[in-house]
Amino acid sequence: RLLHPLEMPPELIHGLLREGHKMLVAGPSKAGKSFALMELCIAFAEGRSWMGFDCEKCKVLYVNLEIDEATCEHRFIDIYKQYGLTPEIWHAGNIQVLPLRGQAKPLDDLVPQLIDAIKDQGYKAVIVDPIYKVITGDENNASDMGHFCNQFDKLCQSVGCAAIYCHHHSKGAQGQKKAQDRASGSGVFARDPDALVDFIELNKPAGDKPMAWGETISGDGIEHGPAFRMEFSLREFA
């Protein structure tokens, strides 16, 4: 077999994620993870870059489990406008949003429905935001979380898509932990995904007041807001 190896799956996010693989995005609560994932949806839909990584143009399903449907739609439109693009492109169908706020069910019930709904329709990425809404079992139990993560494998294999899912950090200070150890729950969350992208907020200089996303300090013409460091734990790439 080594003389005739299997062909490597193509890169979906170049240097970060391949088709059919899994990626976990982790970070503290209210850090903008959903905004980042919506930006990723648009990067897929338009074939743009995301956080400096080039993305293949493809269809993407965004499973919205947390945000009000109207708020979600307006966020997508606002992000499109920030890119200088017209949101009508989104309505053309490259981005499909599945609004499930208040209707979440365990992932092992949800995945078969997703497979039936999108199989053979050309979707290359499915984003589930966030997973705490659909976790089955005890998130600190390795066996339970192994079964939970296997549901993403079923989704990837049945649809031929990448599964990208979002989770929050555990409680307490995170700065001294490795990126793969920050996501709340079992260490399975560090071992299972092919790519782990972690956001951690940088400390502000002493005396800086807390700021909301997008808040502007007038006077120097620069927009100031929370600063985050991104760290990557990757199975396939450097």
Side-chain angles (χ1 to χ4, degrees):
R1 187 60 177 265
L2 295 180
L3 298 177
H4 303 283
L6 295 172
E7 185 176 349
M8 294 291 288
E11 296 179 32
L12 194 63
I13 306 175
H14 290 266
L16 192 58
L17 184 69
R18 296 185 183 276
E19 286 185 17
H21 286 196
K22 297 177 291 183
M23 183 169 86
L24 168 62
V25 175
S29 298
K30 302 298 185 290
K33 297 186 295 297
S34 292
F35 271 109
L37 291 172
M38 290 176 183
E39 288 185 24
L40 180 57
C41 286
I42 293 173
F44 284 140
E46 306 298 335
R48 297 175 62 91
S49 66
W50 179 73
M51 307 293 178
F53 295 89
D54 291 336
C55 297
E56 290 295 313
K57 188 174 183 177
C58 65
K59 291 176 66 175
V60 54
L61 175 68
Y62 179 69
V63 183
N64 169 31
L65 295 159
E66 189 173 53
I67 303 170
D68 174 79
E69 186 174 0
T71 300
C72 181
E73 290 184 1
H74 280 273
R75 284 188 182 186
F76 269 110
I77 292 169
D78 289 342
I79 295 169
Y80 257 108
K81 288 178 178 178
Q82 287 294 319
Y83 280 137
L85 300 173
T86 55
E88 285 79 9
I89 299 174
W90 163 42
H91 293 104
N94 273 352
I95 301 174
Q96 178 67 41
V97 178
L98 181 60
L100 291 180
R101 173 173 162 142
Q103 305 174 54
K105 58 183 64 178
L107 191 67
D108 47 6
D109 292 332
L110 178 61
V111 161
Q113 295 183 12
L114 293 178
I115 292 171
D116 289 341
I118 67 173
K119 189 176 182 180
D120 301 324
Q121 293 190 31
Y123 286 92
K124 292 298 181 182
V126 174
I127 297 176
V128 179
D129 179 23
I131 59 170
Y132 80 84
K133 292 278 190 177
V134 294
I135 280 182
T136 56
D138 179 358
E139 74 169 17
N140 294 297
N141 183 287
S143 178
D144 287 352
M145 291 306 96
H147 172 75
F148 174 78
C149 291
N150 283 343
Q151 304 306 310
F152 290 114
D153 289 311
K154 292 179 182 178
L155 179 64
C156 294
Q157 293 165 8
S158 298
V159 177
C161 65
I164 300 164
Y165 49 101
C166 178
H167 197 30
H168 56 84
H169 279 170
S170 58
K171 294 180 180 179
Q174 304 294 328
Q176 301 304 312
K177 297 180 184 178
K178 293 182 178 180
Q180 59 265 38
D181 295 329
R182 294 181 190 133
S184 178
S186 167
V188 168
F189 288 124
R191 298 186 293 270
D192 183 74
D194 301 290
L196 191 158
V197 180
D198 188 88
F199 291 80
I200 186 167
E201 189 165 8
L202 299 176
N203 291 327
K204 300 178 186 301
D208 278 9
K209 69 183 181 70
M211 301 186 68
W213 276 94
E215 184 178 351
T216 302
I217 297 178
S218 59
D220 58 8
I222 301 174
E223 291 188 359
H224 298 266
F228 289 85
R229 181 174 68 242
M230 295 177 69
E231 296 184 16
F232 305 87
S233 299
L234 309 177
R235 180 170 289 140
E236 295 283 320
F237 303 98

